[in-house]
Structure formats: C-alpha cells, structure tokens
C-alpha cells in the first residue's frame, strides 16, 4: 500500500484547493495516471484530470509532482507523492485553465510571419538553420517548464518564462521569419532567467531552453548591440584586464599559496575563490593535506568563461578555454569548489575543444575522507543544491554523504533543496530584486528546518543565500561552503 496526496478543488464547494490522502496498492511501473484511476475506482473519488495519448506525446496530462512539472502518464508513482495541478487557475482538481498562456501566444502571433514569396523549392532555409531550430521544435505543450520555472513563479509579470522563450527562439532562428523576434524575447524578459536548468530537467522532450533558446538569443542580442544588461559589461572588462570576472582589493589566493607540489591533481580556483574568498581556497589545501593529498594551484589560470556564456558575451570564451587548457594539460584531475566553474568546464568547454578530467570537490573527496581524524561538530545543518552542481553536474548525494560523515552534525533536508536561490545567470548583478526574492523564498525553507547553518558548494549561492537570510531576519543562520563545515571538524 502506498499513500498518495492529491490536490482537490471544486468551485461549488471549496474556496481553495486542499490535499487529500488516498491509500492504494502499487502495481509494478505504476504511473501517476494509473494511480489516479486506481483512486477513482477504489474510492469513487471522481478526481478530474486530463489525458489522451497515454504515451508521452500529447502533453495533455501535465501535473505537478512534488512541485515539479511532469507528465502523469510517464511519471512513476511513489509512496508519499504529492500530485497538484500546474500553476494556472484551477477549474477542478487537476484540470487548469490555460487560456492566459494561449492568449499570450496569440498576442505574440507565434506562427511563422513570412514576407518572402517563393515559386519553386524554398532554398532560404539551410541545413544548419534546420539543425538549430530542430533543437527547440519538439515541444508538446505540456507546460511543465512554465509551471516549474522559479522566476515565473515569483516574478510572473516580468518573465514570459521558458515556454515562450523556446517558442520565440524557434521563429527567431528561422531565416524566413520577418518579425523582430529578438525584441519580443527582450520584452518578455530574456535577461530574467537564472540559468537554473529546471526547465530542461522537467521537459519530457529534453529541450534545453536555457542553453539552446535563452543563451543563444542572449548571444545574438550582444552581437547586435541590444544586450547584455549594463551591469554585465563589467564581467568582460574585468576579464580583459586581469583574467578575472570580479575585482579585488585583497592579495589573490593564487599569489598566497605554493603553486607547484609535484601533484598530478590541480585546483581550478575560479574567480570568486581567487579574488573574493581566498580563505575557502586555503581550507581546501588544508583539508586535502589532512587526508594525505597534495594539490597544485597552477599560475596563469583564468576565468572559466561562465559569466560571459551566461550573459551572451561569448567572443572571449575560446581564448579563456585555450589558456586554461594549456595551464592544466599535464594534470590527471582538476578540482573545482565552485559549481558554476565545474559545470562550465564539464559541459561547455568540450564544445570549445577542451576536455579536462574535472571533479567537484564533493565527488573527489567523498571516498577519500579519513573519518578517524574528524572531530565532533555540534551543529544542525541543511543543504542547498547549487543548480550547476545538482542539475548541471548530477551531483546530489556526495555532499550529503560528506556532511553525514562529520560526527555531531545533525542534518535536516529543507522542503525544496534543489530550488534555485537566484544567484546565477547574471541575475544577481543585473536583476538583484529577482535574486533577492528567490533567496528569501529559500530562506523560509532553511528557517523551517531549524538549522544553524545552510551548507552549499558555490560561492555565488553562498553570497546570495546569506543576503536572503539576512533580509528575512535570519542573520543567525549562516551559509557555509562545505569546506568551511569540514574545516570545523579539523580545528
Ligand atoms: S533555466 Fe531556470 S530560470 Fe531559466 S527559464 Fe529555465 S527554469 Fe526558468
Ligand atoms: S518545452 Fe518541454 S516542458 Fe516546456 S512545454 Fe514544451 S515539452 Fe513541455
Ligand atoms: S496523456 Fe498524452 S502525454 Fe500524457
């Protein structure tokens, strides 16, 4: 028997939706749709829901499953599942009114607007154009991405969201299109996406909206002078001057450490650790030493290019990739302690011809920690999954395993640990109000755990989460990089 919670709403009897719990027998590979039918059969519950093809093709059965968009006919049911309607006005139970998004599509005239007349075979579309548009063409309009996007959910008026961005991009990349689709994308909030990757994670067709639509259109906006946001220009100017995307008034970390130990393991510091958080870099060196591991910190390394890729300023990226490729070419393993750097080195650099063996510190350290040396740390903590670590690198278990190895530490999961904190995609600098709203929403979840600290593995998340906690009156709750927590176990 499993318990399934279903959102119920009947406008004739209810003022708002509420969850009801049902117990059913789980059959092998049972899907949400099967579970809803089983509940209706067993309880005569008359739950209303939509479905048609039952094969992941029509998109009609979109629902929220534990807060994430999903197809009811494809998602496997689990004990404790919470099934809610998509984030639209509810008509009844899981049936929603999608007329607002349909009206928006109509307003934007999202069909090919073509002046061009062709008598014979139309040769204006090249094979390359087709490849580009194909990446965003297979949408089945399930609206999972739109209902799960954290920015849409907190700043509905300012961001058209992933569904519209993908749709607009489809026509923007079609050479026959005569409307200014890039302007539409900018008007719909092209620079309001945090690059959290949630839209890709929930898309049943694996459409990479933030990479293949949003970042692609941001690059076009920069090329034609309509992007980036003024606050983003400094990233490129700083990199051109120092190789770092941020400024510092401290001695850079790389200048403070022994650069060559003869180790085949190297540390890719990233801009934030080198220029803003050198103390975290020192903790890495110390913790590895405690575990008998030496690490080189090669001189000459530069920004990974993430701030440029995320904001569309792509022209310098090849140069940065080539410099780093040369600096790290003789190492077996390259360690990162910033999720954004790690995801960029792993996911973007191969397209620019560099494939280093990159490991996040948690995946490197999880099976190497000498637990006999760890002292007790009496603290209650929770963990925030950085988007570029959890979704970007598929690393969720290792940080938790490390935390659980530290004696004395009490761990409690927050409600949605993978929800974006708002630090990425150029939002923190360009749209600070959105970054703050997202961070405050996480601060509430952190507060609800009763934790003394929230642990993470990203300097950007660390900064933004602390801002949200402070602004929510939770200054006592501290944000710690996982190395700072581990360091306490070695004090
Ligand atoms: S990457 Fe995140 S913020 Fe951007 S559109 Fe997708 S879900 Fe929304
Ligand atoms: S892009 Fe993917 S998640 Fe979004 S509506 Fe289309 S199929 Fe659904
Ligand atoms: S019923 Fe068609 S996609 Fe689920």
């Amino acid at each position: 028997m499993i318990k399934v919670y279903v959102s119920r709403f009947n406008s004739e009897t209810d003022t708002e939706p509420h969850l009801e719990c049902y117990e059913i027998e789980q059959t092998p590979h049972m899907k949400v749709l099967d579970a809803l039918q089983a509940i209706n059969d067993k309880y005569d519950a008359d739950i209303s829901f939509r479905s048609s093809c039952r094969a992941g093709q029509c998109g009609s059965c979109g629902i929220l499953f534990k807060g994430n968009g999903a197809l009811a006919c494809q998602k496997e049911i689990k004990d404790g599942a919470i099934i809610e309607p998509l984030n639209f006005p509810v008509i009844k139970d899981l049936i929603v009114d999608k007329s607002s998004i349909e009206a928006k599509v109509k307003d934007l005239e999202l069909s090919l607007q073509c002046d061009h007349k062709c008598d014979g075979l139309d040769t204006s579309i090249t094979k390359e154009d087709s490849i580009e548009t194909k990446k965003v063409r297979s949408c089945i309009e399930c609206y999972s991405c739109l209902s799960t996007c954290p920015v849409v959910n907190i700043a509905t008026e300012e961001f058209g969201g992933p569904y519209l961005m993908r749709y607009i991009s489809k026509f923007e990349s079609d050479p026959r299109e005569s409307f200014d689709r890039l302007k539409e994308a900018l008007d719909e909030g092209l620079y309001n996406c945090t690059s959290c990757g949630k839209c890709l994670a929930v898309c049943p067709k694996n459409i990479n909206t933030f990479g293949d639509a949003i970042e692609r259109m941001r690059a076009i906006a920069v090329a034609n002078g309509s992007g980036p946001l003024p606050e983003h220009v400094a990233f490129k100017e700083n990199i051109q001057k120092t190789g770092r995307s941020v400024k510092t008034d401290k001695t850079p970390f790389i200048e403070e450490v022994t650069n060559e130990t003869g180790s085949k393991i190297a540390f890719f510091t990233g801009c934030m650790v080198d220029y803003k958080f050198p103390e975290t870099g020192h903790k890495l060196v110390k913790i590895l030493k405690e575990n008998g591991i030496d690490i080189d910190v090669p001189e000459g390394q530069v920004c990974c290019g993430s701030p440029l890729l995320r904001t569309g300023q792509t022209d310098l990226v090849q140069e940065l990739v080539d410099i780093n490729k040369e600096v790290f070419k003789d190492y077996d393993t390259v360690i990162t302690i910033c999720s954004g750097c790690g995801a960029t080195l792993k996911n973007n650099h191969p397209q620019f011809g560099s494939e280093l063996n990159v490991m996040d510190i948690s995946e490197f350290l999880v099976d190497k920690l000498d637990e006999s040396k760890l002292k007790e740390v009496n603290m209650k903590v929770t963990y925030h999954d950085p988007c570029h670590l959890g979704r970007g690198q598929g690393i969720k278990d290792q940080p938790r395993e490390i935390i659980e190895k530290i004696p004395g530490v009490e761990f409690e999961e927050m409600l949605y640990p993978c929800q974006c904190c708002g630090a990425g995609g150029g939002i923190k600098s360009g749209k600070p109000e959105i970054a703050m709203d997202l961070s405050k929403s996480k601060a509430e979840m952190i507060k609800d755990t009763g934790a003394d600290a929230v642990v993470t593995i990203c300097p950007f998340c660390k900064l933004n989460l602390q801002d949200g906690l402070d602004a929510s009156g939770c200054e006592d709750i501290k944000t710690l990089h996982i190395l700072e927590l581990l360091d306490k176990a070695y004090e």
Side-chain angles (χ1 to χ4, degrees), residues 51-54 56-61 71 73:
S51 74
S52 176
C53 72
R54 292 184 160 258
Q57 299 304 319
C58 71
S60 65
C61 63
L71 295 179
C73 70

Side-chain angles (χ1 to χ4, degrees), residues 72 136 166 263 422 443 483:
V136 292
R166 180 210 59 79
S263 174
L483 292 167

Side-chain angles (χ1 to χ4, degrees), residues 87 146-159 192 194 419-422 427 431-442 445 464:
N87 283 331
L146 182 62
S147 276
T148 317
C149 172
V151 180
V152 170
N153 288 339
I154 61 122
T156 314
E157 298 303 314
E158 291 165 59
F159 188 35
N192 291 354
T194 66
Q419 184 178 302
C420 178
C421 75
I427 292 286
K431 300 281 178 169
E433 62 293 347
I434 293 178
M436 178 55 87
D437 284 349
L438 285 168
S439 182
K440 280 182 173 171
S441 148
K442 291 238 70 165
M445 294 181 212
N464 196 46

